[in-house]
Amino acid sequence: VDDPLDLWRCSVLPCLVRWRNIAGSVTERWLFKMTNTTDMWRLADCEMNWERGFSLTKEQEEARFKIHIDDILFVKTRLDKKALTRIKVAKEAIRAAKAEEAQAAKLLAEASGNADEEHEAKVDEEEDEEDEEE
């Protein structure tokens, strides 16, 4: 692996990972890198790992692999239907979050604008009162 930062894609897309295990032999599996970890992986939900039907078994879903970055020999990404769907869902979630953020900023700006107007009106009233007193 040239740049460990490139492994982010394995959090979203199935990656064929070849690594040297504890015994020193080479192991190869289709995996997902677990988010917020540096060396934990799980089996990718893709046809290359399916034993029965069109999904992982419960045991496969629970399987975890601890692979240190220095032990990784090769990584290859695969785009399949499920991966493309995950990308689409992730993009939609990002768009929705940005829209919510924009709406919140708009409401805050409007509220701030109203507060400024109210403050200006209060200052004007106070100035008017001072003028009347003189």
Side-chain angles (χ1 to χ4, degrees):
V1 176
D2 295 330
D3 185 0
L5 295 176
D6 284 342
L7 294 176
W8 68 266
R9 66 181 184 239
C10 295
S11 298
V12 181
L13 303 171
C15 288
L16 179 61
V17 181
R18 187 178 303 147
W19 74 96
R20 191 164 307 283
N21 63 29
I22 295 172
S25 59
V26 175
T27 305
E28 186 175 273
R29 296 277 189 283
W30 285 94
L31 303 172
F32 282 132
K33 187 173 184 312
M34 297 183 70
T35 54
N36 302 323
T37 68
T38 57
D39 57 1
M40 290 303 292
W41 298 72
R42 63 184 176 87
L43 283 173
D45 188 5
C46 62
E47 62 187 81
M48 286 72 66
N49 287 334
W50 297 337
E51 291 178 4
R52 293 174 260 151
F54 296 100
S55 63
L56 298 175
T57 64
K58 186 174 182 165
E59 293 81 21
Q60 287 177 308
E61 287 178 3
E62 293 172 356
R64 298 294 180 262
F65 300 87
K66 186 171 184 168
I67 306 170
H68 191 272
I69 187 74
D70 295 334
D71 294 330
I72 297 175
L73 306 172
F74 171 84
V75 176
K76 178 174 119 179
T77 307
R78 175 183 166 90
L79 284 175
D80 59 6
K81 264 187 173 175
K82 280 193 173 191
L84 291 172
T85 300
R86 278 190 291 275
I87 291 170
K88 183 179 176 183
V89 168
K91 282 183 178 180
E92 289 170 359
I94 290 168
R95 284 189 194 112
K98 284 183 178 181
E100 278 183 35
E101 193 175 292
Q103 182 64 23
K106 181 181 175 185
L107 292 174
L108 185 62
E110 287 173 359
S112 176
N114 290 342
D116 289 343
E117 289 172 11
E118 289 172 11
H119 177 70
E120 287 174 17
K122 186 175 182 181
V123 169
D124 288 344
E125 280 180 32
E126 290 172 358
E127 287 175 354
D128 289 344
E129 288 175 7
E130 287 175 8
D131 289 343
E132 289 175 6
E133 290 176 5
E134 293 176 0

